[in-house]
Amino acid sequence: MTPRPSARPAPYAAVAGLLVDLPTLLREAREDRELSLRSAAEQIGYSRSTLGRIEAGECFRVDIAVAVLRWLGTPGAQDRKEGS
């Protein structure tokens, strides 16, 4: 039996797109919130070097990507300033 083509893109494509865009999303959100890499790392719960590698586009684990995506979507996080 041949699989039927889907009329809409699979949700997996959206997840893949987020993962590809994660380095840019992280850097832009961090800069918009006026946070250093160290401060963002403290909020997310991973090291500064780990986030630096993500921003540089290096490989990252799924659990780290999930933590970053949750941080990106944290209500009110946009209003946090370094040292607040």
Side-chain angles (χ1 to χ4, degrees):
M1 175 176 226
T2 305
R4 223 173 16 143
S6 177
R8 58 180 199 176
Y12 308 115
V15 171
L18 277 173
L19 294 176
V20 168
D21 293 340
L22 192 61
T24 302
L25 293 170
L26 174 57
R27 180 180 303 271
E28 289 176 353
R30 184 177 60 76
E31 290 173 351
D32 287 347
R33 297 171 190 186
E34 299 178 12
L35 293 172
S36 67
L37 204 49
R38 183 176 308 280
S39 293
E42 288 173 5
Q43 289 183 10
I44 295 169
Y46 285 91
S47 71
R48 177 197 54 76
S49 62
T50 296
L51 295 192
R53 286 193 304 273
I54 292 172
E55 287 188 1
E58 296 179 20
C59 292
F60 48 85
R61 297 186 332 231
V62 172
D63 60 319
I64 298 170
V66 168
V68 170
L69 290 169
R70 285 185 174 145
W71 179 78
L72 290 171
T74 301
Q78 300 86 320
D79 300 329
R80 291 183 191 154
K81 300 289 182 198
E82 196 165 350
S84 297

